[in-house]
Amino acid sequence: METGAAAERCEVLVTGAYFADLVFHGLPRPVRPGTEVFADGFGLVPGGAYTLAMALHRLGRRVVWSADFGTDPFSAHVLSCAGQEGLDGSAFRHHPFPVRSLTVALASGEDRAMVSFQDPVDPEPLVPLLRRVRPRVLMFPQLRWDEDAVAAAAAARELGALVVMDCHDTPASLDDPAVRRVLSLVDVFTPNEAEALGLTGAGHPDEAAALLADLVPTLVLTRGPLGATARRGGERHDAPAVPTAGIDATAAGDCFNAGLVHGLLDGRGLADCLAAAAFCGAAATTGPGSAAALRAPDLDRLLRGSAGR
């Protein structure tokens, strides 16, 4: 793995827990209590915030990932995969006890169900790390409004870094002043339609998008088979879904976000960032978990091909 010297030059600081994803795909029907279903395929792949860090690294970005690991086999597996990918481990914390984070994903057609478990561990304060690595982008894989997240977002703003936050099915409401407070410090917010509806209490995705666009400078709303919509000020761009023979959508959202941030770091326009994100998200569905995340040459080829049409 790279050393801390490389971390000083990082472009993206990703914060968040790893997950070991046990992905059963190709289920002929949804799983119901009292029944047994055999899958066509299975994969044990690293996920959680690993996906963001790995996907951005594959796209050629210098990434530091802040995460906790323990003595359990799931930590060992993800650490091994991180080493094989060449991820910077300078912000990893290693504990002398298990730090298990795992998800069982059951993929049936275009739908999936997930069951997760996570050992509690006190996270590392982010502000000192931010000031050390001075990233261009700080990425949160889920909506957080705790004091450490608020302090980190404010510190990132002071350092001139872009703050990008996903929602990730986090139970929250705009009625909570703490949620509004953290969103006021976010530059790019990327919920899906269901998350936006739950967060705002709106009755329609367009209404939810309008409410959120009033709070954050750039809103990117993912819409599943309908593609994605980005709003920035008076700008609106829509990107259709990229057709794929997908087998598992577990990592699609994180890979979408990696493509979006990759485009932003390149200084591309919002429409081009959305196109890069759509290709990265679609590609991720063609393998179990995060295994099929795109590399930079493949993304460039896809973008050139779409521009020629």
Side-chain angles (χ1 to χ4, degrees):
M1 291 188 186
E2 297 175 27
T3 64
E8 302 296 337
R9 303 188 301 273
C10 94
E11 292 177 292
V12 186
L13 173 59
V14 174
T15 177
Y18 86 86
F19 273 83
D21 291 339
L22 289 76
V23 182
F24 295 82
H25 57 86
L27 297 177
R29 62 183 184 277
V31 180
R32 293 186 174 87
T35 68
E36 181 178 20
V37 179
F38 277 81
D40 287 340
F42 169 78
L44 171 58
V45 289
Y50 168 92
T51 302
L52 285 173
M54 179 272 287
L56 281 159
H57 182 73
R58 284 192 180 183
L59 293 173
R61 295 302 175 183
R62 299 184 298 278
V63 184
V64 170
W65 173 29
S66 173
D68 293 276
F69 298 92
T71 57
D72 56 281
F74 302 109
S75 289
H77 176 68
V78 175
L79 282 168
S80 174
C81 292
Q84 292 171 24
E85 288 284 345
L87 295 185
D88 185 325
S90 62
F92 292 169
R93 290 199 307 169
H94 301 273
H95 301 278
F97 50 79
V99 182
R100 298 166 298 176
S101 293
L102 60 149
T103 293
V104 175
L106 306 173
S108 173
E110 294 184 354
D111 202 0
R112 71 190 192 276
M114 295 183 287
V115 179
S116 298
F117 172 83
Q118 190 171 37
D119 281 318
V121 59
D122 291 331
E124 179 182 19
L126 287 172
V127 173
L129 179 60
L130 266 167
R131 289 175 176 159
R132 177 168 67 84
V133 302
R134 303 183 71 85
R136 292 175 60 192
V137 176
L138 169 63
M139 291 193 75
F140 291 96
Q142 66 186 86
L143 176 58
R144 285 180 51 186
W145 59 96
D146 56 277
E147 287 302 320
D148 185 55
V150 170
R157 281 283 190 89
E158 291 173 5
L159 292 169
L162 202 66
V163 180
V164 179
M165 184 177 281
D166 200 350
C167 192
H168 210 275
D169 201 25
T170 304
S173 169
L174 292 185
D175 292 337
D176 187 338
V179 173
R180 286 181 169 271
R181 179 186 176 199
V182 78
L183 287 178
S184 72
L185 297 168
V186 169
D187 297 290
V188 183
F189 188 46
T190 63
N192 63 33
E193 281 191 340
E195 292 163 350
L197 290 170
L199 185 61
T200 61
H204 190 276
D206 286 344
E207 180 188 353
L211 290 169
L212 292 170
D214 285 340
L215 294 175
V216 295
T218 301
L219 174 72
V220 179
L221 192 69
T222 55
R223 307 173 65 206
L226 297 178
T229 297
R231 299 188 183 207
R232 178 190 288 161
E235 240 184 302
R236 172 173 173 157
H237 299 280
D238 295 289
V242 176
T244 58
I247 64 170
D248 175 39
T250 303
D254 287 328
C255 288
F256 177 98
N257 286 340
L260 179 74
V261 168
H262 177 64
L264 291 170
L265 286 167
D266 274 347
R268 299 178 186 175
L270 195 54
D272 290 338
C273 291
L274 205 57
F279 278 123
C280 288
T285 69
T286 62
S290 59
L294 284 178
R295 299 185 185 276
D298 299 316
L299 175 59
D300 291 341
R301 174 178 52 79
L302 289 167
L303 289 170
R304 286 197 301 271
S306 67
R309 288 198 293 268

